[in-house]
Amino acid sequence: MSRAKPSGIAADIAKKMAGKRDPQQEQEVLDWIQTITGEALPSGEYEDILRDGVVLCKLMNCLRPGSIKKIHSKGQAFVLMQNIEAFQKAAQAYGVPKEDVFQTVDLWERRNIPTVTQSIFALGRTAQTHPEFNGPVLGPKLADKNVREFTEEQLKAGESTIGLQMGFNKGATQAGMSMGKGRMIID
């Protein structure tokens, strides 16, 4: 890569980002992808395996066949980055919230690999909501709605309760309190 080595605050940020990486989660993601696609993944570092977007596009096509029409296996940087962008669009169309999808530079320039991992976990959670998906689970299951119904009597009883956020100090006020010496202005 032709990027200069970060120094100063940029180095601190890079160090903090590297500290957020979880090798166990990364291996879990790779195992999940390999199981879904049925193909052996290339050897190498986690970010290098995913970097060109080919593996991600194949994953998306296994989850929703035909969602990515053209996968570029070779070419210059901007051509391979199109794979990542195609994966992002297909993931959003599949139901992954936009907020959970990583940015292209996070993977391509290796700026924020933990975000890439979390995005794939979000894809795994979303896949569990699709009835046609019967593959392995990745990450926790999305929460189901828990609709509660209250009677009028219960709602009225709740109106007379003072919540703890409002505070409860039995009528105390700040009257008479002194917080140190008053301000003295001398001409």
Side-chain angles (χ1 to χ4, degrees):
M1 197 150 44
S2 61
R3 192 174 280 277
K5 188 175 180 184
S7 61
I9 194 166
D12 293 342
I13 292 170
K15 190 175 175 182
K16 188 173 183 179
M17 289 297 224
K20 289 184 176 183
R21 290 185 66 172
D22 184 348
Q24 184 179 353
Q25 279 188 338
E26 291 175 0
Q27 188 58 51
E28 197 176 333
V29 164
L30 292 176
D31 292 343
W32 185 73
I33 291 172
Q34 191 165 324
T35 303
I36 299 292
T37 61
E39 295 181 17
L41 296 177
S43 60
E45 294 293 318
Y46 174 75
E47 59 270 24
D48 294 332
I49 294 170
L50 302 177
R51 185 169 186 245
D52 62 5
V54 172
V55 170
L56 296 174
C57 289
K58 288 179 179 179
L59 170 66
M60 237 13 266
N61 277 338
C62 287
L63 293 173
R64 179 174 275 170
S67 59
I68 299 176
K69 307 254 185 285
K70 182 158 175 81
I71 301 173
H72 307 282
S73 57
K74 293 183 181 177
Q76 294 183 348
F78 69 92
V79 174
L80 296 175
M81 286 170 58
Q82 288 177 349
N83 288 340
I84 299 171
E85 292 169 6
F87 167 78
Q88 292 165 333
K89 288 178 186 170
Q92 288 179 34
Y94 191 64
V96 177
K98 185 178 181 181
E99 301 79 31
D100 286 340
V101 177
F102 65 92
Q103 295 179 3
T104 304
V105 295
D106 291 338
L107 177 57
W108 184 256
E109 295 181 6
R110 299 174 180 97
R111 286 194 182 174
N112 196 350
I113 299 301
T115 304
V116 175
T117 303
Q118 292 307 313
S119 294
I120 298 171
F121 266 87
L123 178 62
R125 285 191 306 271
T126 304
Q128 294 174 45
T129 65
H130 288 262
E132 73 278 1
F133 179 76
N134 57 2
V137 173
L138 178 68
K141 184 180 177 218
L142 278 175
D144 296 326
K145 281 188 176 180
N146 186 5
V147 180
R148 297 180 175 108
E149 296 189 21
F150 298 100
T151 64
E152 282 296 319
E153 188 178 298
Q154 289 172 319
L155 291 172
K156 285 187 181 185
E159 289 175 4
S160 64
T161 304
I162 296 176
L164 293 177
Q165 288 91 355
M166 293 180 199
F168 186 69
N169 53 14
K170 299 183 182 177
T173 67
Q174 291 182 353
M177 291 181 66
S178 68
M179 300 295 228
K181 195 171 183 176
R183 185 171 176 195
M184 306 288 276
I185 300 177
I186 301 175
D187 286 321

